[in-house]
Amino acid sequence: MCRSTGTSARTPRVALSEQRVGEFLSALGARTPAPASGAATALTAALAAALVELAARFAGDDDVALRANEVAARLTQLADEDSEAYTAFMENRTYETRQRIIAVPNEIATLADEIAERAVAVREKVSPSVAGDADAAAELARAASRIARQLVGLNEGGSN
């Protein structure tokens, strides 16, 4: 969320969950303030959650699969919320808008931590052929958590 503005023109946004991957990648690479690293981080954590869901289904752990699915859905929402929060902050730098650009990546980090823990736990219950998916989930979730916490620190810092 630390991208400088290339333009302040507001265009209607399509929810990230409704975009094709290529569309999201194009939007991410555009010279606009959002979507940026926060949205990418949320979607990285959502991918990790989906991999945990997959591994949990192979492990026969319906509770973990359900929770991973719920977390993936929330992380996808957070990707949109991050873009919206940062756009609002760039348009009006108030205490409230700054708090939102702190709260969103903080929630992303918390959920990513949960997914990393669940990935490690479910890995013990799956065959070696599925263990790689659990390992990938854990690594993606850890990376997402680390980046989201960095974003919190940057956004708390004052000048964006």
Side-chain angles (χ1 to χ4, degrees):
M1 292 204 340
C2 300
R3 198 185 287 196
S4 63
T5 61
T7 178
S8 62
R10 221 180 222 253
T11 57
R13 286 196 200 279
V14 175
L16 295 176
S17 62
E18 296 176 14
Q19 290 182 9
R20 294 176 182 246
V21 173
E23 293 170 334
F24 174 70
L25 294 175
S26 292
L28 194 61
R31 188 177 175 176
T32 59
S37 54
T41 300
L43 291 181
T44 298
L47 290 169
L51 286 170
V52 168
E53 180 181 1
L54 167 86
R57 291 195 188 287
F58 276 98
D61 192 332
D62 293 339
D63 291 339
V64 170
L66 176 62
R67 178 61 184 154
N69 180 275
E70 292 168 350
V71 171
R74 178 63 184 137
L75 285 161
T76 302
Q77 290 174 337
L78 286 167
D80 284 322
E81 289 178 26
D82 182 83
S83 294
E84 293 163 6
Y86 197 70
T87 299
F89 175 75
M90 294 307 294
E91 290 175 358
N92 188 13
R93 294 176 186 228
T94 65
Y95 174 82
E96 291 78 19
T97 60
R98 179 170 304 281
Q99 291 310 301
R100 193 71 188 131
I101 65 169
I102 294 167
V104 172
N106 195 47
E107 186 176 351
I108 293 167
T110 299
L111 291 173
D113 287 340
E114 177 186 341
I115 288 302
E117 290 173 14
R118 290 184 185 274
V120 170
V122 78
R123 187 193 194 285
E124 302 302 318
K125 301 176 184 177
V126 296
S127 69
S129 64
V130 181
D133 296 306
D135 290 341
E139 289 301 316
L140 288 169
R142 287 183 196 116
S145 174
R146 188 173 54 253
I147 297 303
R149 291 191 194 292
Q150 288 174 355
L151 292 172
V152 168
L154 290 169
N155 293 338
E156 286 176 333
S159 62
N160 284 24

